[in-house]
Amino acid sequence: MKQSLSSLKIIAVFLTLTACLYPIGYWLIFHMESAVPLMLSVGLATIITCLIFKKSLESLGWPWGSWKYQWLSYLVPLAYVAVAYLIIWGLGFGEWYNSEYVTALRDGYKVDNWSDSNVIIFRFLITATISFVLLLPGVLGEEIGWRGLLVPELSKLMSFPGIALISGFIWAAWHWPMMIAGVYGNETVPLGYQLFFFTLGLMSMSVIITYIRLRSNSVWPAVIFHMSHNAFIQKFFNPLTMQNTDSGWYINEFGVVLPVVIFCTSIYFWRKGQQEFGSIQPKSTLLSPQSS
């Protein structure tokens, strides 16, 4: 009971600080033309919470862990994003590929003699490496909060389904003010539609990330997963898609296709999570796997 109350206090303070720092991070979006300060505000809330409760920062999951979880976290987002956009292109919700974007890339890279195919391959390689790494500061700021602090504290209170869904809902809701303000999202479909599918996508992602976080006992797979998801959507698949008048209903994180594909992917991890982390272990920081 004492440990449960302590976890509830830690979670309450963390969420309160996150909400209080949100306006500052939001304001900085416009002054720095970047969402990184807002993302880092979650990390700052985490550090302050740890200081208030004299909680070691080492408890946030800094050990690297097994490489298999890092690779899994990199490849799973790439796989479900690729499947989603193959569906989008195949069903005519968008077209492969945006030739104007490829021309702009060719000009930017100063490779005038390259074919469209070579430019696209080069763009993929840049996305998979440099663009991926450049996302680290902001994503790490978020993830030490959501998966470094929140998931371990929730694991002292509930079993896997609750951890995954509650942390995922909070993560999604954190984005809502930007979407409601029109800063994040698209302008072609109703806000309620975007909020529903965006939330479905992030809660489904949370199921996958929570499983890997608990299995690896490291925050780094969560960071890599988040970076991979953002990089491949924002820097490759979405800009390369030639949109039509109906594309907004289907593409990106705010349309129907990608969230549904992520949801379908999450079912496997949901079942594994229930099998392996089906009960609360109050004396542990994280739930202990019941089976390998």
Side-chain angles (χ1 to χ4, degrees):
M1 177 65 73
K2 185 176 180 181
Q3 186 182 39
S4 297
L5 287 174
S6 176
S7 292
L8 285 172
K9 289 178 182 178
I10 290 171
I11 292 169
V13 169
F14 165 66
L15 294 179
T16 300
L17 288 169
T18 300
C20 291
L21 292 170
Y22 197 98
I24 300 172
Y26 182 81
W27 179 78
L28 287 172
I29 289 177
F30 302 97
H31 288 76
M32 297 182 66
E33 297 183 352
S34 170
V36 170
L38 179 59
M39 299 167 79
L40 290 174
S41 71
V42 180
L44 180 59
T46 303
I47 293 170
I48 295 173
T49 300
C50 289
L51 292 174
I52 290 173
F53 289 94
K54 298 180 180 179
K55 183 178 176 67
S56 172
L57 295 178
E58 295 179 1
S59 67
L60 300 177
W62 296 112
W64 184 253
S66 170
W67 271 99
K68 71 178 182 180
Y69 295 115
Q70 316 303 342
W71 280 112
L72 183 67
S73 295
Y74 183 86
L75 294 174
V76 168
L78 172 58
Y80 66 59
V81 173
V83 169
Y85 276 85
L86 285 172
I87 293 171
I88 289 167
W89 301 328
L91 295 179
F93 301 142
E95 297 179 17
W96 170 262
Y97 52 93
N98 187 336
S99 59
E100 292 183 1
Y101 179 69
V102 174
T103 298
L105 288 176
R106 183 184 292 109
D107 294 340
Y109 293 144
K110 301 187 186 304
V111 287
D112 297 341
N113 296 326
W114 285 17
S115 67
D116 285 3
S117 297
N118 286 338
V119 173
I120 291 170
I121 291 169
F122 185 67
R123 179 61 177 179
F124 179 84
L125 294 175
I126 292 294
T127 299
T129 54
I130 297 173
S131 298
F132 170 81
V133 171
L134 290 176
L135 292 173
L136 177 61
V139 171
L140 179 60
E142 270 196 64
E143 288 301 329
I144 63 172
W146 308 137
R147 259 63 67 167
L149 178 68
L150 183 59
V151 163
E153 293 303 327
L154 286 173
S155 74
K156 301 172 186 177
L157 304 172
M158 59 193 69
S159 58
F160 178 81
I163 302 167
L165 295 180
I166 290 175
S167 63
F169 181 80
I170 291 170
W171 183 29
W174 180 82
H175 293 81
W176 289 354
M178 290 184 290
M179 296 176 67
I180 293 170
V183 176
Y184 192 50
N186 71 56
E187 301 175 352
T188 60
V189 297
L191 176 62
Y193 180 94
Q194 295 183 62
L195 288 170
F196 176 81
F197 283 109
F198 179 82
T199 301
L200 173 65
L202 260 66
M203 291 182 71
S204 299
M205 285 173 63
S206 179
V207 171
I208 305 170
I209 299 174
T210 298
Y211 172 79
I212 298 174
R213 169 67 173 102
L214 296 176
R215 205 71 180 84
S216 66
N217 201 24
S218 171
V219 74
W220 289 109
V223 174
I224 291 171
F225 193 105
H226 194 159
M227 290 164 62
S228 178
H229 173 91
N230 284 5
F232 287 114
I233 294 173
Q234 297 170 7
K235 303 298 183 181
F236 187 77
F237 286 95
N238 207 60
L240 274 170
T241 299
M242 186 70 180
Q243 299 185 30
N244 56 45
T245 54
D246 294 325
S247 292
W249 296 88
Y250 304 102
I251 69 171
N252 213 326
E253 298 173 295
F254 316 103
V256 61
V257 178
L258 179 60
V260 169
V261 171
I262 301 173
F263 172 77
C264 292
T265 306
S266 73
I267 293 172
Y268 170 78
F269 292 92
W270 175 270
R271 290 174 176 170
K272 286 186 70 66
Q274 285 188 305
Q275 292 170 0
E276 298 178 25
F277 305 103
S279 62
I280 304 173
Q281 302 292 334
K283 294 182 181 180
S284 303
T285 302
L286 296 175
L287 297 179
S288 300
Q290 294 183 345
S291 62
S292 299

